Amino acid sequence: MLRQMEPPANPGDSPVELELTVQNVESALYQLYFDPVMEQKNTAQKWLTEAQASAQAWRFCWALLGPDKLPEVQFFGASTLHTKICHHWSDLPAEQHDSLRMQLLSHILHFSSGPKMVLTRLCVALASMALNLIPQVWSQPVADMVRAFQPQKPDSEGLSEAPQDPQAHCLALLELLTVLPEEFQSGRLAQARRTQLKGALVGEWAVVCPLLRQLLQSLDSSNQVKEKVLRCLSSWVALDVPLGESHELVQDCFSALSNPELFDTAVETIVNAISQPDSQRYIDALVNLMPVVLLLHDQLKRAAQDGDMETSHGICRIAVAMGETHSRVLLEQVEHWQEYLALVNMILFCTGIPGHYPVSETSSSLTLTFWYTLQDDILSFEEDKQAVYLQVYRPVYFQLVDVLLHKSHYPSEEEYASWSSDDMEQFRIYRVDISDTLMYVYEMLGAELLSNLYDRLGRQLMDPQQSAVWQDTEALLFGFQSIAETIDVNYSDVIPGLIGLIPRINISNVMLADTVMYTIGSLAEWLADHPVMIGGIIPMVLQGLGKPELSVSSVSTLKRICRECRHDLVPYAQDILTVSQDVLVKEIHKSSQCMWLMQALGFLLSALPEEEILGRLHSLITSHVQRLDTLAQQEPDPANKPSIIHILGLLSSLFTTLDINREADSLEGAPSPTLTPTQSTQNPVVVVLQQVFTLIQNVFSKWLDDSDVVEAVCGVFEKSVRTLLHDFGPMVAQLSEMLGQIFCAFPQASALDLARQMVHIFAGEERHIANIQSLIEVLTSATLTIFQQGPRDHPDVAESFMHLHAQILKRKPDMYLSDQLDVKRLFYCGILSLKFPETATVKAATLFFAELLPRCKDMPLLGEVLREDGKLLTETLLQAVGGESPRSLSEHFSEVLLSLNRHCPALLSQWLKDTLQVPGFPSAQVSPEQKHTFRQQLLREQTHKRRVKDIVKEFSLLCRGLQGSGYSDY
């Protein structure tokens, strides 16, 4: 261990001051590993990195590899060699290449018996060297490497002093051959050089393949050698070496599957080999591999029977890789159709492997995507050919449905309770995947699938013995729900029967009850077209609503029914409202489900006769408003805060969906654009808001400095504005005044967001413009003060402020003519917002400038500000691009530069010239020539947003010294 190293002779000396000697390198390594002071460690690491980059490193690295050195020192020596060859290759004269190669080979032979970490690093260094010399200088690297590792004569080149170990030499050669393709894959190479190198390496496969085959077949080869052969094959396969030349070697790998020590590596190698897309070109090779894969079926069955999950999993991976990667090619080999059908049935066995996923089996989930691929390939054939394949494979897919439904079964309640939460979550995701697969399979099997499920459910429910097994019923409903969730089942003739069967189900536990609820929810659209069936379903849903354990499923189902069927729910409205009020008062559900429930009731109330709505609305919210009133009268107490936010959330959720003007087919939450501002009677929501306005003001004043409560209050109004649109008009004056007062007292982003909504809807209305104008002036004045004092701690306020003014410029730019708005200071706020590190704030500022800059020509006041401060804006953008802001934000800055170039190109040209001629600006990394090129390229582009983004991105990389480091495209 490195602890045996001697500490530095002069521990006080900083490594930075030391000479580049072997002793000092060892001292720095000691310091790096064992100095308790982190600062000293960092200094040592920095010095060692600089040492590796120095010219002397070519010499001292060999001394560090001396046999008397500790493994960690030797490892640093080998790493230094690799670093030099990788990054400083051009420093080495060409005449020294041969001697370096011989030294490396000699050291690899010397370290063939270990330490392993040093050997691997030396192999990587030689591989890196080979990649620098192939093919021009070193035309046959593999043959030369193999020759170098042949048993040496005793007197050859002084190597006789080291005892020869053929196995160690063989393993070292295999390590070298393994890292050669890996080093190629990980290297950053220009595309032309990558293509050239790949071609040269693939050419070397003709030497590697027979060697690997010989070693794998040899009776003398140890498991260690065979495992290394398998890993080496995996490495070369990633180069897309031709399967036609290596399928016999791949077949040999299957023999390793009977060896427990080699099983995992063999699986990985076989899967890698047959998963290469390029291998589809070698049809004969694939056909020859099919029987070899099929021979694994017996081993698979035995493993499944014995509960050997690792073996099952491995063989399943091989079968799926073969079937999925080459599905179409193998389907087209008509003369081998029985073999491929046998493979498909083998994969079906894997899908239905005994046990519960993920506790007692982990293989079945691997197979699901195969069924998508096979179906897509079958359905992509022309009609005549497709009919033949469907005749063969439709029965398989009906079997698949049975298997999937069986695999979706819950275990017994006792067993399920013993599962960990991770296992439960994995099983939930697994069932979602099965659900998606069933939905996809419907495309192939069609209405017959639903009939099949319905017949089975009917037989089950009529047979007392069968219906006692709740998992069977649950699985069939799960199948129905999976399909009905995404497929239009309106024309299915089995749905009426299913709706009739649902009330007959003996709901004996939570899992079954949940699925019943979700199944009803998935049929909400069908119920909207068949309202006569609603009466039999509503009582079940309302019964579920009273059970905490069915909270999510029952509430989401009621919401779906209220949204889709609201116009047919009038006869049931009283029952729905009564049960809902009861569960809300009893606090049966968590807060999020209460919000869903309120949204459901909003849909329901929207469809009632107008004269009934206000009364029912009052009865629904009175108890909550009274509770809020009680809380508002008390002094602020953290214990009361969740209740206040909860009640405000209930009101927000209700007002999100309560829209008496909603058209029957309008989407949830989507305002209808055809509404008119004139209404004969006030909207019920407005009436309620006016009645509780004083109470809300009271909450506001008490909790003014709590952003969560302020956000919840603003949420009530924001949701109302979004839903009611112009109907909200009577509230504008009151709300504008209150928002202004609140924001001045304690600025919050949510108040600015609410003001933005009001600008969006009411800025164009004459009767509201005075209130809106006054509100904007108050908010702007208060926010400008924040910017003056330093806005860094308020990125959310800066973001919302930019969004607000972007909306004003978009909807009502005339507001900028007001004497009360200091446009120059607003412009400066935009510049400050561009300097924030938060993406959202920068994006909002770019939106602000995107709206402002096009109006500078038509609005003299804005034009004047731009002429005065445009240079500062340009300077800020260049500073940000040059390194002051995260690189990910550069595309947002490019949008502002493009806008400047579109709307004031002459001014931008001058500003760029003035700012870029300053030495070292925006970065010392860019030369005057590069800055000039950037300016020319930028000014040339006034239309193509993508091109400007690329120009700015490239300049940003140059400024940061990252050009050519892999961050940009070659």
Side-chain angles (χ1 to χ4, degrees):
M1 278 300 294
L2 203 59
R3 289 195 178 276
Q4 297 162 342
M5 291 171 70
E6 289 300 315
N10 301 307
D13 288 354
S14 163
V16 178
E17 302 158 10
L18 299 175
E19 282 182 65
L20 285 172
T21 64
V22 172
Q23 186 184 357
N24 286 340
V25 169
E26 289 188 67
S27 296
L29 281 167
Y30 182 93
Q31 204 160 28
L32 176 66
Y33 280 91
F34 301 115
D35 198 308
V37 181
M38 186 54 70
E39 194 179 336
Q40 296 281 18
K41 282 179 183 287
N42 293 339
T43 307
Q45 178 150 17
K46 186 181 177 190
W47 185 84
L48 287 166
T49 304
E50 288 169 1
Q52 282 188 322
S54 70
Q56 295 97 305
W58 285 110
R59 291 191 301 277
F60 74 63
C61 60
W62 298 111
L64 295 174
L65 284 162
D68 58 325
K69 301 298 180 188
L70 288 164
E72 287 79 1
V73 175
Q74 293 170 334
F75 177 76
F76 183 76
S79 294
T80 300
L81 255 176
H82 178 235
T83 301
K84 300 305 291 180
I85 291 169
C86 255
H87 302 295
H88 305 97
W89 179 246
S90 58
D91 298 348
L92 192 70
E95 58 269 17
Q96 292 184 28
H97 290 174
D98 274 349
S99 69
L100 176 63
R101 180 168 67 182
M102 295 310 295
Q103 275 182 292
L104 270 168
L105 281 166
S106 171
H107 277 77
I108 289 170
L109 283 165
H110 176 77
F111 282 99
S112 59
S113 300
K116 174 78 167 61
M117 63 178 182
V118 182
L119 172 65
T120 300
R121 214 77 207 126
L122 287 169
C123 288
V124 170
L126 183 56
S128 187
M129 179 180 180
L131 295 177
N132 281 321
L133 298 175
I134 296 171
Q136 294 90 342
V137 181
W138 197 356
S139 56
Q140 296 180 309
V142 172
D144 291 345
M145 290 171 186
V146 171
R147 200 175 304 113
F149 283 83
Q150 295 301 323
Q152 304 287 334
K153 293 176 185 173
D155 59 345
S156 66
E157 302 189 20
L159 291 168
S160 55
E161 57 207 55
Q164 295 204 9
D165 180 350
Q167 165 146 319
H169 282 194
C170 181
L171 288 168
L173 173 61
L174 288 168
E175 179 71 15
L176 185 51
L177 294 178
T178 302
V179 301
L180 184 58
E182 289 173 352
E183 185 70 1
F184 165 76
Q185 299 284 15
S186 63
R188 287 194 176 123
L189 299 162
Q191 191 54 50
R193 177 66 179 146
R194 180 170 286 279
T195 305
Q196 181 193 34
L197 262 181
K198 186 174 179 181
L201 287 173
V202 169
E204 295 290 292
W205 179 239
V207 182
V208 179
C209 185
L211 173 68
L212 297 184
R213 199 158 183 229
Q214 179 193 338
L215 289 170
L216 201 56
Q217 290 179 335
S218 170
L219 297 173
D220 296 333
S221 294
S222 65
N223 280 349
Q224 203 180 353
V225 168
K226 286 182 177 178
E227 181 172 12
K228 202 73 201 161
V229 168
L230 293 167
R231 292 190 189 282
C232 188
L233 171 55
S234 263
S235 179
W236 281 83
V237 155
L239 292 176
D240 297 329
V241 293
L243 184 65
E245 293 174 24
S246 47
H247 73 274
E248 290 172 326
L249 173 57
V250 176
Q251 284 185 32
D252 293 340
C253 296
F254 280 80
S255 61
L257 292 170
S258 56
N259 185 331
E261 285 184 42
L262 299 176
F263 182 83
D264 289 342
T265 311
V267 167
E268 203 62 47
T269 302
I270 294 166
V271 168
N272 287 342
I274 58 183
S275 297
Q276 289 301 313
D278 190 54
S279 55
Q280 293 190 0
R281 294 192 293 138
Y282 306 99
I283 292 169
D284 290 344
L286 288 171
V287 168
N288 289 333
L289 282 170
M290 282 275 284
V292 190
V293 175
L294 291 173
L295 282 173
L296 298 173
H297 203 157
D298 288 340
Q299 189 181 351
L300 172 66
K301 285 177 180 172
R302 282 196 304 277
Q305 202 172 348
D306 299 342
D308 181 352
M309 286 165 67
E310 285 77 13
T311 302
S312 305
H313 192 88
I315 295 174
C316 175
R317 283 185 63 199
I318 292 170
V320 170
M322 189 73 176
E324 189 171 346
T325 312
H326 309 296
S327 168
R328 186 170 185 101
V329 171
L330 294 171
L331 279 170
E332 286 174 336
Q333 309 314 305
V334 181
E335 65 277 17
H336 297 283
W337 72 271
Q338 286 172 308
E339 283 184 347
Y340 188 58
L341 180 59
L343 179 66
V344 170
N345 279 312
M346 184 176 172
I347 295 171
L348 183 63
F349 177 84
C350 294
T351 307
I353 204 158
H356 270 111
Y357 181 90
V359 175
S360 50
E361 67 91 1
T362 55
S363 307
S364 58
S365 63
L366 302 175
T367 67
L368 298 181
T369 53
F370 163 75
W371 299 107
Y372 287 74
T373 306
L374 178 61
Q375 179 175 315
D376 284 347
D377 287 335
I378 290 171
L379 297 181
S380 70
F381 287 119
E382 58 274 13
E383 207 169 320
D384 294 347
K385 206 171 179 182
Q386 189 185 117
V388 176
Y389 285 110
L390 286 174
Q391 202 173 347
V392 175
Y393 287 101
R394 264 176 69 90
V396 176
Y397 271 83
F398 273 113
Q399 280 181 280
L400 172 67
V401 171
D402 290 347
V403 166
L404 290 174
L405 292 178
H406 184 72
K407 292 298 293 182
S408 70
H409 276 198
Y410 280 96
S412 68
E413 289 177 83
E414 298 76 29
E415 187 185 337
Y416 190 62
S418 71
W419 283 15
S420 70
S421 58
D422 276 357
D423 286 338
M424 288 181 179
E425 177 59 11
Q426 279 194 59
F427 182 60
R428 185 193 68 77
I429 294 167
Y430 175 66
R431 278 175 51 104
V432 170
D433 292 340
I434 287 178
S435 174
D436 291 343
T437 310
L438 287 169
M439 179 270 291
Y440 205 76
V441 166
Y442 180 83
E443 189 184 345
M444 181 184 272
L445 304 182
E448 195 181 338
L449 172 55
L450 287 177
S451 302
N452 185 306
L453 293 175
Y454 173 67
D455 291 344
R456 286 174 60 185
L457 183 64
R459 285 196 301 273
Q460 240 181 50
L461 294 178
M462 299 305 163
D463 181 341
Q465 278 188 312
Q466 281 193 42
S467 60
V469 184
W470 66 267
Q471 285 96 334
D472 292 338
T473 308
E474 193 278 335
L476 286 167
L477 285 174
F478 173 71
F480 263 115
Q481 177 214 331
S482 302
I483 295 161
E485 202 66 70
T486 45
I487 305 292
D488 182 4
V489 292
N490 268 4
Y491 303 103
S492 170
D493 53 1
V494 303
I495 303 300
L498 173 64
I499 297 282
L501 283 175
I502 285 176
R504 302 181 64 119
I505 296 171
N506 175 25
I507 299 179
S508 52
N509 70 35
V510 175
M511 279 82 95
L512 177 57
D514 255 340
T515 304
V516 167
M517 285 296 157
Y518 286 127
T519 305
I520 294 170
S522 71
L523 297 171
E525 287 183 43
W526 185 91
L527 288 167
D529 291 333
H530 305 82
V532 70
M533 307 296 284
I534 294 173
I537 290 298
I538 290 292
M540 290 185 75
V541 178
L542 295 182
Q543 196 180 353
L545 208 59
K547 298 179 178 175
E549 63 272 22
L550 299 182
S551 181
V552 176
S553 59
S554 62
V555 173
S556 66
T557 295
L558 180 64
K559 182 182 169 183
R560 290 177 78 167
I561 290 174
C562 287
R563 183 179 63 206
E564 303 299 336
C565 311
R566 57 185 176 275
H567 299 292
D568 301 298
L569 291 179
V570 175
Y572 318 103
Q574 186 57 55
D575 291 345
I576 294 171
L577 284 163
T578 302
V579 173
S580 299
Q581 283 173 256
D582 187 49
V583 299
L584 284 168
V585 169
K586 290 179 179 172
E587 298 182 352
I588 285 174
H589 303 291
K590 288 181 181 174
S591 189
S592 54
Q593 275 73 59
C594 292
M595 304 307 153
W596 291 358
L597 183 53
M598 277 304 214
Q599 287 176 14
L601 299 178
F603 286 124
L604 176 66
L605 291 172
S606 303
L608 295 181
E610 274 194 45
E611 62 277 9
E612 286 185 31
I613 295 176
L614 191 58
R616 291 189 184 275
L617 183 56
H618 273 138
S619 65
L620 175 61
I621 65 170
T622 297
S623 61
H624 303 293
V625 171
Q626 286 171 347
R627 170 84 177 125
L628 184 63
D629 192 23
T630 306
L631 293 168
Q633 287 174 23
Q634 298 171 17
E635 285 307 304
D637 179 350
N640 292 338
K641 179 178 162 179
S643 298
I644 290 173
I645 290 175
H646 176 75
I647 295 167
L648 292 168
L650 292 179
L651 295 176
S652 293
S653 300
L654 180 63
F655 297 158
T656 300
T657 54
L658 205 173
D659 180 9
I660 59 173
N661 297 301
R662 184 189 302 273
E663 293 299 322
D665 59 348
S666 67
L667 297 170
E668 176 187 345
S672 167
T674 55
L675 298 184
T676 57
T678 54
Q679 295 287 337
S680 53
T681 56
Q682 276 202 343
N683 190 295
V685 172
V686 173
V687 174
V688 168
L689 283 174
Q690 287 175 328
Q691 289 168 349
V692 299
F693 195 82
T694 308
L695 165 59
I696 288 177
Q697 270 184 311
N698 196 12
V699 172
F700 246 148
S701 61
K702 288 273 178 67
W703 292 84
L704 199 54
D705 57 351
D706 190 299
S707 59
D708 296 328
V709 175
V710 171
E711 193 174 328
V713 172
C714 289
V716 174
F717 292 108
E718 191 188 2
K719 296 292 192 298
S720 307
V721 171
R722 279 175 181 270
T723 307
L724 302 180
L725 300 177
H726 300 287
D727 279 6
F728 190 84
M731 297 293 301
V732 170
Q734 280 175 289
L735 184 56
S736 297
E737 188 182 348
M738 182 177 77
L739 265 186
Q741 290 169 353
I742 284 160
F743 191 81
C744 287
F746 205 90
Q748 305 269 14
S750 48
L752 295 171
D753 294 334
L754 176 52
R756 175 159 56 99
Q757 283 296 327
M758 292 169 71
V759 168
H760 178 61
I761 293 163
F762 298 109
E765 288 189 29
E766 198 58 43
R767 56 187 167 152
H768 297 304
I769 190 62
N771 290 313
I772 299 292
Q773 177 90 38
S774 173
L775 171 62
I776 296 307
E777 288 168 2
V778 169
L779 296 178
T780 301
S781 174
T783 311
L784 288 175
T785 305
I786 294 174
F787 270 90
Q788 196 171 351
Q789 292 165 349
R792 187 62 205 92
D793 295 335
H794 306 281
D796 54 338
V797 172
E799 177 195 342
S800 296
F801 186 61
M802 288 293 106
H803 276 303
L804 170 61
H805 275 275
Q807 183 71 268
I808 293 166
L809 286 161
K810 191 174 184 177
R811 297 283 293 162
K812 194 71 175 171
D814 295 356
M815 284 193 191
Y816 271 56
L817 301 174
S818 163
D819 295 339
Q820 301 300 312
L821 281 186
D822 189 332
V823 179
K824 189 175 176 68
R825 286 177 71 193
L826 277 171
F827 193 90
Y828 190 63
C829 288
I831 291 173
L832 286 176
S833 299
L834 287 171
K835 294 184 176 187
F836 276 71
E838 288 82 4
T839 303
T841 309
V842 172
K843 203 169 177 181
T846 59
L847 276 175
F848 168 68
F849 283 113
E851 293 295 340
L852 183 142
L853 293 173
R855 289 176 172 74
C856 289
K857 280 182 185 171
D858 305 329
M859 300 179 71
L861 187 62
L862 292 182
E864 188 183 331
V865 170
L866 179 63
R867 280 189 295 279
E868 287 176 12
D869 292 328
K871 183 179 174 182
L872 179 61
L873 172 60
T874 308
E875 193 178 299
T876 303
L877 292 167
L878 292 176
Q879 271 178 327
V881 168
E884 280 205 0
S885 293
R887 213 164 37 83
S888 57
L889 298 177
S890 67
E891 72 174 76
H892 301 301
F893 303 128
S894 71
E895 288 176 21
V896 184
L897 286 166
L898 176 61
S899 192
L900 282 167
N901 200 22
R902 278 179 181 166
H903 302 293
C904 52
L907 287 169
L908 178 63
S909 175
Q910 188 58 48
W911 295 331
L912 286 171
K913 188 177 178 183
D914 293 346
T915 50
L916 289 174
Q917 71 185 8
V918 177
F921 180 87
S923 159
Q925 303 265 12
V926 282
S927 66
E929 292 76 20
Q930 288 169 324
K931 291 196 272 189
H932 177 73
T933 303
F934 167 66
R935 177 171 169 261
Q936 295 297 102
Q937 287 178 329
L938 190 63
L939 292 171
R940 214 175 289 135
E941 282 297 339
Q942 291 192 344
T943 50
H944 297 105
K945 190 184 282 190
R946 181 75 263 160
R947 177 74 188 122
V948 174
K949 282 182 182 176
D950 290 342
I951 292 166
V952 172
K953 177 186 172 186
E954 202 71 11
F955 187 65
S956 181
L957 290 169
L958 280 172
C959 290
R960 297 163 200 260
L962 296 173
Q963 182 66 7
S965 62
Y967 289 100
S968 58
D969 298 323
Y970 286 94

